[in-house]
Amino acid sequence: MTQKRLQTQIIHTDYVPPEGFAAFPSAIHHASTVLFKNVAAMRSGDWKEKNAYTYGLHGTPTTFTLEARLAEIEGGTHCLLAPSGLAAIAMCNFALLKSGDDVLLPDNVYSPNRDLAKWMSSDFGITARLYDPMTGAGIAELIQPNTKLIWTEAPGSVSMEVPDLRAICDAAKQKGVLVALDNTWSAGLALRGFDLGVDVVMQALTKYQSGGSDVLMGSLVTRDKLLHERLSMAHMRLGMGVSADDTYLVLRNLPTLKIRFETHDASARKVASWLKARPEISKVLHPAFEDCPGHENWKRDFTGAGGLFSVLFDAKYTEAQTDRFVDSLKLFGIGYSWGGAHSLCIPYRIQAMRKNWKEKGALVRFNIGLEDPDDLIADIESALALM
Ligand SMILES: *Cc1c(COP(=O)(O)O)cnc(C)c1O
C-alpha cells in the first residue's frame, strides 16, 4: 500500500504497544465492533462460546473475566451480566417463560420483580401467582402442570422472612420446575444456592459487588450448560449489554467483597442488638435474630448475614413520629439502593405492600454501611430521643 494520507493514518495507526505489560487490574476493553482475523474466523465465530469474541454485546475480555469470577464466588459454572439487577430478573423471565406458562413469586419478592410479573400476566399471556414465603413444602400444592419457574428470595425484601429453600427446591425438582434465587442479600457469600437445589442464582451487583453506590449491574449464574444457553439466548435477543467501565468498577471492588461483607454483617448485628433492647422497637426483622420469621432456616442454610435489616416500631408511634426519626438521623442517608460504604435508612408502608401483614407498627429498614457502628448507634439514639 502506498503511504497513507494523514486522515487515514489517524484511523489506521501503525502503532502497537510493546508486549509484556503486566499489572493486577483487568484491562478495560471497550468495543462495539470486534475484529476477526479473517473471513473464515468471522464465519466460524460462535457468540455462545466464550473462547471467541464476536461482538461487543456478546462479551469482551473484561466482561468474561467478571462473569467467570462471579460464577466462582457463587459456586456455579456459567454467568451472564445484565445492565441492572432488574434487567437480570427480566432476562431470566423472558428466557424461561412463554405464553401459557405460570410463574410463582413469594409475596415478599423485590417489588419491581412482582411488578414485572404483573405486566407479564396482563400483556404476555403468562400467569403469575404470589405465594406465602414461609410455605416451604406447601409450595407443592401450588405447582400446576404449566408452572415453569419459582422465584425465591432469601431473605425477602423489606420484611426479611427467610424461606425454607431446601423444601421449595425439593418440591420443584419432583415436578420438574426451575427455581431462581435472588441472592443479593448474601452477595453470593453467605448462602450457597446451588447446594440447596436452586437452578439460577440472580444477583444485583449494584449492591455489595459494586460496593460504591455508583454502578447498576446484575447477573445470572447457573451450574447447567443447557440452562445457561437458554438464558444466553434471551441475553442476546434482549441486547443486555453492560458498560466496560462499570464492569471494571465491579472487578476493582471484588477483592474486598468478603471483607466488606463481613464488616457490614458484624456492624449490622451490633446495631440490631442495640435496637432490640430499646423500648421503642417491638421487633427486629434480621434473619440472625429469633424475631425474624424463618430464623431457623437462616441458621441451617446461611454462614453469615448481610448489612440490611428492618425493625418494627411499637404501634404507639405514629407515622409522623417514625418519619421524624428517619429525618433526624445524621449518618444515614434516605435512599433505596444499598450495599455501599454509607448507611441508609428508609420507612416502608408495609401494610399496603403485603397481602397478609398482621404486625402492627411502622417498619423502618436499615442498611448498615462501613462506618464505626458505635457512631451509628449514637446517631440512632439521638434520633430516637427526637421522635
Ligand atoms: C436492588 C435489588 C434488585 C435490583 O437491582 P437493581 O440493580 O437496582 O435493578 C433486585 N433484588 C434485590 C433483592 C435488590 O435489593
Side-chain angles (χ1 to χ4, degrees):
M1 197 173 158
T2 53
Q3 177 66 35
K4 282 174 274 189
R5 293 176 175 81
L6 182 58
Q7 176 57 30
T8 304
Q9 183 68 34
I10 286 171
I11 297 170
H12 292 262
T13 177
D14 295 323
Y15 178 75
V16 178
E19 277 182 30
F21 177 79
F24 287 119
S26 304
I28 306 176
H29 292 278
H30 283 275
S32 49
T33 301
V34 170
L35 295 175
F36 299 97
K37 232 180 14 226
N38 50 41
V39 174
M42 182 272 284
R43 292 215 163 106
S44 67
D46 181 356
W47 61 268
K48 286 203 286 306
E49 293 303 326
K50 303 223 161 166
N51 50 15
Y53 304 102
T54 48
Y55 190 54
L57 207 49
H58 306 154
T60 64
T62 312
T63 59
F64 286 180
T65 303
L66 180 57
E67 286 173 351
R69 295 181 67 173
L70 293 171
E72 274 170 19
I73 291 170
E74 204 80 54
T77 51
H78 298 79
C79 175
L80 292 163
L81 300 176
S84 68
L86 183 56
I89 292 169
M91 171 163 71
C92 183
N93 285 351
F94 276 95
L96 304 180
L97 298 169
K98 61 179 189 317
S99 158
D101 287 348
D102 176 62
V103 56
L104 290 166
L105 302 101
D107 190 41
N108 58 2
V109 77
Y110 176 67
S111 307
N113 187 347
R114 176 205 294 236
D115 183 67
L116 173 66
K118 237 174 153 179
W119 184 40
M120 295 180 88
S121 291
S122 61
D123 290 10
F124 295 91
I126 289 158
T127 55
R129 292 175 298 141
L130 295 175
Y131 66 88
D132 173 356
M134 298 314 297
T135 189
I139 196 86
E141 287 148 42
L142 298 176
I143 296 174
Q144 302 171 350
N146 66 336
T147 305
K148 293 291 156 61
L149 179 65
I150 299 172
W151 270 101
T152 58
E153 195 174 314
S157 279
V158 183
S159 48
M160 311 302 290
E161 299 91 340
V162 187
D164 185 344
L165 282 174
R166 288 171 196 264
I168 292 173
C169 290
D170 286 350
K173 282 275 124 47
Q174 277 187 20
K175 306 211 173 180
V177 181
L178 294 170
V179 176
L181 167 68
D182 183 336
N183 201 20
T184 303
W185 188 75
S186 291
L189 298 172
L191 176 65
R192 310 289 289 171
F194 295 116
D195 295 346
L196 305 181
V198 166
D199 298 289
V200 182
V201 176
M202 174 261 154
Q203 286 283 342
L205 307 173
T206 307
K207 308 291 168 42
Y208 292 120
Q209 288 81 357
S210 130
S213 311
D214 51 0
V215 171
L216 285 157
M217 202 179 288
S219 63
L220 295 178
V221 174
T222 55
R223 246 187 200 178
D224 180 285
K225 189 158 193 290
L226 288 177
L227 184 54
H228 170 72
E229 281 174 8
R230 289 176 70 190
L231 298 170
S232 297
M233 289 310 294
H235 184 263
M236 195 266 284
R237 288 169 172 159
L238 294 169
M240 293 278 180
V242 296
S243 112
D245 292 314
D246 285 352
T247 307
Y248 175 76
L249 287 173
V250 178
L251 278 167
R252 188 181 199 273
N253 278 356
L254 224 45
T256 59
L257 175 66
K258 186 162 176 290
I259 288 164
R260 285 184 284 113
F261 185 81
E262 285 163 1
T263 303
H264 286 293
D265 181 2
S267 296
R269 290 199 222 196
K270 186 165 189 184
V271 174
S273 297
W274 184 87
L275 281 162
K276 181 145 179 55
R278 292 291 304 199
E280 297 90 344
I281 303 301
S282 66
K283 263 189 185 177
V284 172
L285 303 175
H286 181 305
F289 287 63
E290 281 174 12
D291 290 356
C292 192
H295 168 67
E296 291 305 311
N297 298 325
W298 176 82
K299 268 211 307 219
R300 186 190 64 190
D301 296 336
F302 289 66
T303 56
L308 191 77
F309 68 91
S310 298
V311 298
L312 291 173
F313 276 80
D314 188 295
K316 76 177 183 210
Y317 295 103
T318 63
E319 184 175 89
Q321 284 177 295
T322 52
D323 284 359
R324 191 175 318 139
F325 162 75
V326 176
D327 281 335
S328 303
L329 293 164
K330 301 243 171 1
L331 294 177
F332 290 78
I334 303 170
Y336 283 112
S337 208
W338 45 273
H342 295 77
S343 288
L344 300 167
C345 185
I346 196 155
Y348 281 90
R349 287 186 166 141
I350 190 76
Q351 285 81 3
M353 292 165 67
R354 299 276 184 276
K355 247 191 340 217
N356 297 311
W357 189 257
K358 293 188 182 74
E359 305 281 352
K360 303 260 181 304
L363 185 147
V364 171
R365 189 182 78 177
F366 290 91
N367 165 61
I368 302 304
L370 299 175
E371 302 93 340
D372 188 306
D374 290 329
D375 287 335
L376 298 176
I377 289 169
D379 190 27
I380 293 171
E381 189 165 24
S382 307
L384 286 173
L386 293 171
M387 205 162 57

